[in-house]
Amino acid sequence: MSPVPGPAADTLSADTLAADALAPRGFAHVDAWIFDLDNTLYSHEAQVWPQVGQRITRFLAETFDLDGISARALQKYYYHRHGTTLRGLMLEHGMDPADFLAFVHDVDLSLLPANERLAAAIGALPGRKLIFTNGSARHAENICRKLGLDSHFSGYFDIVAADFIPKPEQGAYDMLLAQYDVDPTRAAFFEDMARNLAPAHALGMTTALVLPATPDPWREPFEQAREELAHVDHITDDLGGFLEGVIADNNL
């Protein structure tokens, strides 16, 4: 006769279930690989994002006839209140976004080298690969072409496609999933800002935080903090090497 489970067995079962629930999600089931763009697919040494920030400041200075310090302060105000400077301009001034996006993403990519290792790793992942960015599709295409990644991505979901709703607002994620018919429980999301992973994790995605290998002097500390968070399944400062490990460990 089989023994009747007692209180200790019930407790062990509950503990096991709790441990399973808290275990980091894996990648064996993933067939949609979603990547943020800026500071995720390239390192800060390329100095792309600082240029974008400088051009945003310049755009504000020229638009509102401000000195550089005042323009930078306004930029930060819009960013912290609305999620992006562009959204602040649209909501508070009714600005047409086209000129802003074209201006701020007109940057020099000469310091951005091709990344053959990352290209090979992304190319080896099974299923679709998508870009999910608060920037523009044109900017994403330029970056991916320079990195040698452009042939691997089947879609660029940008701030325009998101109806100018930025990450980490839920609506942006919902629109991405709907446009590309992605099952979030079979998706993985790679992103350089931990807060942007929270909605993805809540939807059922496997999440990976991509941090800089060395401190990024152009970004705020909270944007590159290494924290163990419930909505972050994995952390890496070497995206190419990490993906190689994912492929090997899961026989992908």
Side-chain angles (χ1 to χ4, degrees):
M1 180 182 295
S2 299
V4 177
D10 291 340
T11 301
L12 178 60
S13 176
D15 290 344
T16 300
L17 290 173
D20 288 343
L22 293 173
R25 295 169 184 165
F27 297 93
H29 64 294
V30 171
D31 60 17
W33 307 82
I34 304 168
F35 295 85
D36 173 52
L37 180 77
D38 291 305
N39 295 313
T40 296
L41 294 182
Y42 63 85
S43 70
H44 61 81
E45 285 86 356
Q47 299 184 29
V48 175
W49 191 244
Q51 292 183 70
V52 174
Q54 291 163 8
R55 291 189 67 79
I56 293 173
T57 304
R58 180 178 165 188
F59 184 91
L60 294 175
E62 294 179 358
T63 299
F64 297 109
D65 192 24
L66 299 172
D67 61 75
I69 294 176
S70 299
R72 181 68 174 171
L74 183 61
Q75 178 179 345
K76 289 294 183 181
Y77 164 77
Y78 286 145
Y79 173 72
H80 289 293
R81 181 169 184 178
H82 299 290
T84 65
T85 303
L86 174 58
R87 196 176 190 202
L89 290 170
M90 294 175 68
L91 292 176
E92 298 196 18
H93 301 279
M95 182 168 290
D96 186 328
D99 290 343
F100 175 91
L101 290 172
F103 184 88
V104 303
H105 291 137
D106 183 14
V107 295
D108 178 11
L109 301 181
S110 61
L111 294 180
L112 182 65
N115 192 332
E116 296 179 1
R117 183 186 186 191
L118 181 60
I122 290 178
L125 297 171
R128 292 177 296 164
K129 277 79 76 169
L130 305 167
I131 293 291
F132 182 18
T133 176
N134 279 347
S136 69
R138 180 169 176 262
H139 177 59
E141 291 166 357
N142 290 340
I143 293 287
C144 288
R145 187 179 305 112
K146 192 73 164 56
L147 288 169
L149 306 177
D150 51 309
S151 64
H152 299 307
F153 289 103
S154 58
Y156 298 89
F157 189 83
D158 70 344
I159 195 67
V160 179
D163 197 24
F164 302 99
I165 297 173
K167 295 177 286 182
E169 293 198 25
Q170 185 66 51
Y173 300 75
D174 294 339
M175 283 185 274
L176 165 72
L177 298 177
Q179 178 166 323
Y180 291 100
D181 192 24
V182 171
D183 177 354
T185 66
R186 296 184 60 83
F189 184 35
F190 298 82
E191 160 76 50
D192 69 297
M193 294 185 66
R195 68 179 185 180
N196 291 347
L197 292 173
H201 195 269
L203 288 164
M205 296 186 199
T206 298
T207 57
L209 178 63
V210 182
L211 295 176
T214 59
D216 184 344
W218 294 287
R219 297 170 64 199
E220 296 183 25
F222 82 89
E223 295 177 316
Q224 51 188 315
R226 190 178 190 96
E227 299 181 84
E228 300 293 335
L229 301 168
H231 63 269
V232 177
D233 294 308
H234 305 274
I235 300 176
T236 181
D237 59 14
D238 175 10
L239 181 58
F242 181 82
L243 293 177
E244 290 172 348
V246 168
I247 293 165
D249 292 343
N250 295 278
N251 297 312
L252 300 180

